[in-house]
Amino acid sequence: VVLPERQLIERIRRRAAPGTNRALARAIGDDCAVLNIPSGRQTLVTTDLCVEDVHFRRAWHPPRSVGHRCLTRGLSDIAAMGGEPVACFLSLGLPENLAQRWVDEFIDGLLRLAGSFRIPLAGGDIAGAPKITADIVVIGQIPAGRALLRSGARAGDRIYVTGTLGGSADRLRRLYAGEKLRAGAADRHFFPNARIETGRRLREEQIASAAIDLSDGLSVDLAHLCEESGVDAIVNAGALPVARGAGPEMALHGGEDYELLFTVRNGVRVPARIAGVPVSMIGEIVKASKGLKNKAGSRIRLCDHRGRLLPLKPAGWEHFSKI
Ligand SMILES: [Mg+2]
C-alpha cells in the first residue's frame, strides 16, 4: 500500500532535485514555488488531467509509461505555443490499496522525462481517491508577444504536420483487441515525444503562422485551429504521413500522437526536417464557407485519391476508442 502522505511527499521531494533550471528560486518545501520570470518574457501555463481507465489502464500501461505520458501531454501544449518548459507541478489522487512500487515507478517515468528537458517537479499535492488521478501543470516561457497561436491561419496558408500520424491509435486498437504489447522505450504510444525543439524553431525562425498539438486527433485539432482562425481547410488524403501499422482512418482521427500541426504562409520555405523531425505538407487553408459548415457541420474537406472533396467530420479520440 501507499506510504502516508507526509512520507510520500518527502520521498518525492528527495528525488525531485531542482536541477540546473535557473528559473526556479524556491521549490518543494514552501507554501508556493517561486519562479523567476525574466523581463520581456511571458509565462505559459497548461494543465492536464489523467484518470485511470479513461486515459490509461493499469493492465495495459506500465507505471513509467503513465508518468511519461502524463507529463508529455503538458509539454506538448508548451511545444505547440513555441515555448520553453520551465517547471512542472503534479497533484495525485491515489487509491488506498495501490502498491508503493506503482507510485515510485510512475514518479520515475515522469522525473526521467522532466530531467531530459531540465525542468524540476516544483510542487504538487496528494490525496486519497477511488482511481489513480494525476493532474499535471506545466509552466513555460516565451518572448513576450511571440507565442504561436491557433488563430493565426489565413486562406492560402499551407498545412504541415511533424512526424507520423495514427501510430498511437494503432497501438490502442491492438490493446483493445487483447494483444499484449511490450512498452518499448521507443514506442510512441507508451513513451511519446513532445516536439519542444521543433516548436521553438517554428517560432524563432518565423516559419509558422499558427500551430496546435495533435492530442485528440487531426480531424478534431485541425477543426479547433480552423475555428480559432475563422477559416476552412482542405486535407490531401494521399499526403498524410501514416505511421507504420496504422491506416488512413487512424491518421485522421487517432489521438495521442503529440505531433505538431502548423500552418505556413505561401512563399515561406519549410525545411524537410525541423530539429531532426520530418515535416509533411498535408493540405491548405481556404476561406471559410458558411454554407459548407452548416450543411456538413465541418470546416474540413478531405481530397481523396480521385480528387473528390468530401466533408471530414471531426471524430477523433473519443469516437475512435469505441470502435
Ligand atoms: Mg493542446
Side-chain angles (χ1 to χ4, degrees), residues 15-183:
R15 302 176 61 199
T20 55
N21 192 320
R22 281 177 300 141
L24 191 71
R26 195 82 185 92
I28 302 173
D30 261 292
D31 291 301
C32 291
V34 182
L35 301 175
N36 301 314
I37 310 293
S39 64
R41 298 230 147 200
Q42 287 176 317
T43 303
L44 304 170
V45 184
T46 177
T47 169
D48 271 290
L49 189 60
C50 281
V51 179
E52 181 180 11
D53 294 333
V54 177
H55 301 96
F56 67 93
R57 291 196 190 176
R58 257 190 262 181
W60 290 352
H61 298 97
R64 278 195 181 83
S65 160
V66 180
H68 180 108
R69 283 159 47 101
C70 178
L71 180 56
T72 295
R73 284 159 66 93
L75 288 171
S76 182
D77 283 331
I78 301 287
M81 307 293 285
E84 292 154 27
V86 167
C88 63
F89 297 81
L90 173 72
S91 292
L92 278 176
L94 301 172
E96 239 172 58
N97 63 352
L98 186 69
Q100 178 58 40
R101 183 166 169 206
W102 196 98
V103 183
D104 287 344
E105 291 184 9
F106 168 90
I107 293 291
D108 192 55
L110 190 142
L111 288 181
R112 220 184 270 192
L113 180 61
S116 75
F117 286 102
R118 293 215 224 113
I119 62 169
L121 174 60
D125 197 10
I126 295 170
K131 292 201 178 211
I132 301 169
T133 308
D135 183 39
I136 189 92
V137 174
V138 180
I139 307 291
Q141 56 165 276
I142 196 149
R146 302 298 300 278
L148 299 176
L149 306 177
R150 294 178 179 182
S151 53
R154 303 282 174 268
D157 287 4
R158 289 156 299 153
I159 306 168
Y160 286 79
V161 292
T162 60
T164 60
L165 305 179
S168 188
D170 172 61
R171 303 309 255 179
L172 195 71
R173 175 187 61 80
R174 292 169 59 182
L175 288 166
Y176 269 104
E179 261 187 72
K180 287 262 171 288
L181 299 180
R182 211 179 62 83

